[in-house]
Amino acid sequence: MTLHRTERTRREIRHTLRTLWRTPTFTITSLLILGLGIGMATAMFTVFDAVLLKPLPVQSPEQLVLPRTLDPGGTDVGMNQAELKQLVAASRTLASAAGVAHQGAFTNPLLDGDHALSLRAAWVTGNFFAVLGVRPVLGRFFTSAEESATGPSTPIVLSYDTWRLHFGGDPHVVGRALNNPYTRKNSLIIGVAPAGLAYPAGVEYWTPIVYPILDMVARLKPGATPDAARAEFFAMMQRIDSARAATGNQGAKLARADIRSFTQAVLGDVRPQLVALSFAIALLLLVACVNVGNLVLLRTTSRSPEIAVRRSLGAEAGDIVRPVLWECSALAIGGGVLGLGSAVAFLKLMTGLAPSTLPRLDVLRLSAAPVALGAAVTLVAVLLAATLPALAAAQGSLAAPLRLDARSGRGTRGRRRVRQVLVASQMALALILVAGAGLLVRSLDRLIRVPLGYQPAHVAMLTIAKGVKPDSVMEQFVALYDRVSPGLRAVPGVTSITPIVTTPFHGADVFTGRWTAKGQSDAEANANPRVPFEVGGEDYFKTFNIPMLRGRGFLESDRATSVPVLVVSHAMAQRFWPGENPVGKQVKLVGDTAANAWHTVVGEAGDIRYRNMREPTPTMYAAWRQLFFQGVIAIRTTLPLDNVLPALRNAIKTADPDATIAQAETMNGLIDVQLALPRLSTLLLVTFGVMALLLAAVGLYGTMACTVGERTHEFGVRAALGATPGRLRTDVLRQAALIAGTGALTGLAGTLVAAQFLKSQLFDVTPTDPLALAGASGLLLAVALAAAYLPAWRATRADPARALRGE
């Protein structure tokens, strides 16, 4: 018996393969649909699994939290190291805590021999890795004893990705000394962190240099909850802040406390985008499965006479169903193999397009789970789509499929309705994807076109590295700028230059101050939020092309020994002096008791989106000689940066042989970095939407072609009775429009729900944007009618004479 079954199985498999080989159009179409669907779904689910589901390489990540205090404007307020230690010592909810520089990861140049490395550094306290509870891949981590900057070298720990990409995964990298042009000290590589440790965002190496303003990453005590820790943290920070106020150190400014998990901090804003894209690819895979299922259903329906003959010759239900199952299994297996290959290609493409800000790219590997999930879903969907009609054919009437009279046809109305429901469901799912893509396209277009308040074209940022003594940093950088600026201005193509405090898009939480206007009470001053400040020279507003609304910009005479001056943005002017001319008004930093603390406002500038691209930030501008400078210069040129960069490097070397350009970035390039993730999300969703739309069109075409084939006799009779070709064509197109319209209405209802997943990603566009929804619906109906036109045209070619002979 077993031998008989084995031989029967072999015969059925051979017959299945021969059958598929004889119908190449059906086979190739099904395999391509399944392969692309499984491949794209597997690649997207792999990203989702690696970034969101795989555990972070830290001990008990659920116990790691990041408490923050916020001022009335929602700006994070940091602490110093003494306050950090005081908090931990007195806390009943925090077991330990480490500090991270408030400004997050920042670009810091290093020299590996003659090779310059522009890497993003994170300054952390020495117990940072101990609090996280991580183990190094190579070497060791630093300790609190190594926080002192007095040693001959500074220890650094490389991120896994930096070690792999910039050092080739060299197992002997530990002990290599890199030169730090700023400190003129060696940075000694002592270890490599595990893959997936990406905090703070964008970090490429860590170093234990204590920064004046710190953020906290803490580990909860057993049994402590995040809510309890937040409440205790806020109460303790309020007491610390009151002590600050008593010493005149900008105190009494905290509005509330917030707390995030360490996982949330690592993932940042990427979670909702990956969830939305994974939901979209799940819909696309479902569309692909339904499409292939519809093709199999059409194929099974066309074989009804054959099945009826086999049944009349004694075939049982199992004999009818098994070949269909073998055929579907072969398609699913073939689609899975093809999908695995396409998944590798899609994953490489996605990682190549992914911005560097996407966390945990270093742990992204194709794994078995997403492949198995995609193949399993496809196999189940295709088998269900094939088994049900096969069972119906195996148990239905023997006579009906064999009748040749005109009124019976080959397909029942029930089967037609099933096919139409499948196609309508494809249309609905396709509309959800197309409408989502339309929303992201509209959002990206708004973001690209948003007025920045300045002209980014032909503006570049130069970061100059030079060894300086820590006791007179400002004076040395001022002298450096005075030496190099004449040579930079003389470079052909350079129209203006200015010192600046930092490159753009660092957020509104760094390089901030809390200002009070003359005449404000202490209570009003204490309620003022912290706002960003920028610094610039006499050509600052010319370099960025920021409009001056009132007064003037900075002059060469605005020096450290002259009256302190400020330029305020329009938003700041309206905040302090609504409806008044701010020029001549005076402001000072809260808590500043120096004799020259009051700054005179000399101008009002337009609002800009410099710290945050999605919203303008109220800003105070100070003359660079009166506040701060650390070697970053903005230039405007008439030529591309690459054309003038060699001359700029030569000009700096000529003026100061010890100085070098550590990093050169264009403003448009920095804007592109901000747009990279929205562009990738939009590109992927548009791709998913187009594929779903094409699959739905294929499904509708197949259904309408089958319907026309079944009704050929009917159309011939109607033509003989006087129906015009236009009438027949309209009848077919009306039926197609009914199917597509039903799918569109269902899809619109689904879109209103699904679009909520995109809400956090949209800029200046609502999830119910009428243009996006109407455009998606119109496109769906247009594609549906185009797909149905050829079958409709074939309906007009029915031969009346042949139909009447059948009667």
Side-chain angles (χ1 to χ4, degrees), residues 247-326:
T247 60
N249 188 23
Q250 298 197 39
K253 57 183 175 299
L254 303 182
R256 59 186 177 89
D258 190 15
I259 195 166
R260 291 186 298 164
S261 69
F262 184 74
T263 302
Q264 289 174 322
V266 170
L267 298 181
D269 298 329
V270 76
R271 176 184 287 274
Q273 303 197 43
L274 287 184
V275 169
L277 289 173
S278 298
F279 177 75
I281 197 64
L283 292 182
L284 178 60
L285 181 60
L286 185 58
V287 171
C289 292
V290 172
N291 192 281
V292 173
N294 195 29
L295 291 176
V296 172
L297 177 59
L298 291 174
R299 181 176 172 83
T300 305
T301 301
S302 67
R303 293 166 61 182
S304 294
E306 171 199 339
I307 293 173
V309 170
R310 292 179 62 191
R311 286 185 58 203
S312 65
L313 295 176
E316 298 179 355
D319 298 324
I320 301 299
V321 174
R322 270 197 314 274
V324 178
L325 295 181
W326 282 120

Side-chain angles (χ1 to χ4, degrees), residues 376-390:
V377 169
T378 304
L379 179 62
V380 171
V382 174
L383 288 178
L384 285 177
T387 304
L388 296 179

Side-chain angles (χ1 to χ4, degrees), residues 318-658:
D319 298 324
I320 301 299
V321 174
R322 270 197 314 274
V324 178
L325 295 181
W326 282 120
E327 191 171 290
C328 293
S329 299
L331 290 176
I333 293 172
V337 173
L338 185 61
L340 182 61
S342 60
V344 174
F346 282 129
L347 197 58
K348 288 182 178 179
L349 178 63
M350 289 171 63
T351 53
L353 294 174
S356 59
T357 53
L358 184 67
R360 313 196 72 200
L361 284 176
D362 51 358
V363 298
L364 193 58
R365 304 287 185 276
L366 189 64
S367 58
V371 177
L373 177 62
V377 169
T378 304
L379 179 62
V380 171
V382 174
L383 288 178
L384 285 177
T387 304
L388 296 179
L391 286 173
Q395 298 175 357
S397 170
L398 286 175
L402 298 177
R403 292 176 60 191
L404 299 178
D405 62 283
R407 292 175 181 81
S408 66
R410 290 184 299 163
T412 66
R413 290 186 178 181
R415 289 182 182 177
R416 290 180 189 173
R417 280 196 294 270
V418 170
R419 293 197 302 263
Q420 291 170 0
V421 168
L422 288 176
V423 174
S425 65
Q426 285 182 266
M427 290 286 175
L429 296 174
L431 181 63
I432 293 175
L433 291 176
V434 173
L439 288 171
L440 287 189
V441 168
R442 292 264 294 154
S443 174
L444 181 62
D445 180 67
R446 294 284 184 91
L447 190 58
I448 291 174
R449 296 175 182 272
V450 65
L452 298 174
Y454 53 88
Q455 295 296 326
H458 301 295
V459 175
M461 315 291 173
L462 308 179
T463 301
I464 301 178
K466 176 180 170 60
V468 295
K469 298 177 181 179
D471 56 346
S472 57
V473 174
M474 177 65 178
E475 291 82 355
Q476 293 173 82
F477 271 118
V478 168
L480 172 65
Y481 182 80
D482 286 338
R483 286 195 300 273
V484 303
S485 58
L488 293 177
R489 286 193 174 92
V491 171
V494 174
T495 59
S496 63
I497 71 171
T498 179
I500 58 175
V501 67
T502 184
T503 53
F505 308 124
H506 270 282
D509 296 332
V510 295
F511 297 112
T512 63
R514 197 158 56 89
W515 301 81
T516 179
K518 182 166 282 190
Q520 279 192 319
S521 65
D522 290 342
E524 290 172 328
N526 288 333
N528 290 340
R530 301 179 70 89
V531 295
F533 66 81
E534 309 295 342
V535 302
E538 55 269 28
D539 285 337
Y540 179 88
F541 298 99
K542 175 184 176 183
T543 300
F544 287 98
N545 200 4
I546 300 173
M548 291 299 300
L549 306 180
R550 288 191 178 100
R552 65 170 177 87
F554 302 119
L555 304 177
E556 200 278 334
S557 58
D558 293 325
R559 294 177 170 264
T561 55
S562 60
V563 175
V565 297
L566 289 175
V567 173
V568 299
S569 69
H570 177 69
M572 282 303 304
Q574 292 304 305
R575 176 176 293 175
F576 279 138
W577 312 283
E580 299 182 38
N581 184 348
V583 176
K585 306 290 187 180
Q586 289 189 308
V587 297
K588 72 170 184 175
L589 287 168
V590 174
D592 191 349
T593 58
N596 62 343
W598 290 102
H599 291 61
T600 301
V601 177
V602 296
E604 178 186 352
D607 291 326
I608 61 173
R609 298 170 187 261
Y610 186 84
R611 293 297 187 92
N612 188 333
M613 191 172 174
R614 288 179 174 261
E615 60 183 4
T617 308
T619 306
M620 306 292 278
Y621 301 90
W624 71 283
R625 294 181 187 272
Q626 297 179 346
L627 189 61
F628 183 75
F629 177 58
Q630 61 176 5
V632 184
I633 298 175
I635 67 170
R636 178 172 286 278
T637 66
T638 57
L639 301 172
L641 177 62
D642 290 342
N643 291 6
V644 298
L645 190 55
L648 294 172
R649 294 187 187 277
N650 184 62
I652 289 177
K653 280 293 182 185
T654 300
D656 190 327
D658 293 331

Side-chain angles (χ1 to χ4, degrees), residues 18 21 26 52 60 130 145 276 282 290 371 379 394 510 520 523 640 679 713:
R18 284 197 303 269
W21 179 262
F26 166 78
L52 299 184
S60 303
V290 172
V371 177
L379 179 62
V510 295
Q520 279 192 319
R679 278 175 172 157
H713 183 84

Side-chain angles (χ1 to χ4, degrees), residues 236-246 250-254:
M236 296 171 68
M237 283 300 297
Q238 283 182 312
R239 289 194 292 271
I240 289 175
D241 201 57
S242 297
R244 292 173 182 170
Q250 298 197 39
K253 57 183 175 299
L254 303 182

